[in-house]
Amino acid sequence: MSDPEIQPEQHSAPSQTDPITTKPETISFSIWPPTQRTRDAVINRLIETLSNTSILSKRYGTLSSDEASAAARQIEDEAFSAAGVSSSSSADGIEILQVYSKEISKRMLDTFKARAPPASDVAPPSAAAVSDS
């Protein structure tokens, strides 16, 4: 027979502590730098934005999946580096995250604009061309 007083440790209940004598756990929350998982999520969202129909793509066109993937990785990496440079100053995590976000937006728009056809290609017909018809 087994001894009823002996129980495996894995089944024992967590010990109860006295709330008066126990110090509360300090929770540390850091917003910068983002985790790799967060950075990957940003890249995936950029790929979707660059390669799918959006307000920007209606004006500037979309990128192929391969082009969008390469551009998204470059945009995120450059934005992360730019924000990292600002983190060396006395800026707090929120300010650095704002720099990161603004850099991503700016670089994404620059990527769209770089692919846009020249203004002369999309200019409306001139008044002389309209009067000739």
Side-chain angles (χ1 to χ4, degrees), residues 13-59:
S15 64
Q16 297 293 327
T17 57
D18 182 7
I20 296 172
T21 60
T22 305
K23 293 181 181 177
E25 291 184 33
T26 303
I27 297 174
S28 176
F29 181 75
S30 175
I31 199 162
W32 188 262
T35 64
Q36 188 60 48
R37 181 177 171 199
T38 300
R39 292 182 69 189
D40 290 343
V42 168
I43 291 168
N44 288 334
R45 185 65 180 128
L46 280 167
I47 292 169
E48 287 178 31
T49 302
L50 294 168
S51 62
N52 294 327
T53 303
S54 68
I55 292 172
L56 292 172
S57 70
K58 288 179 182 176
R59 181 167 183 171

Side-chain angles (χ1 to χ4, degrees), residues 95-112:
E95 292 171 351
I96 299 165
L97 193 61
Q98 286 176 332
V99 170
Y100 177 66
S101 179
K102 286 178 184 178
E103 287 293 326
I104 287 172
S105 297
K106 177 182 153 241
R107 293 168 194 279
M108 180 179 63
L109 187 57
D110 290 346
T111 299
F112 271 121

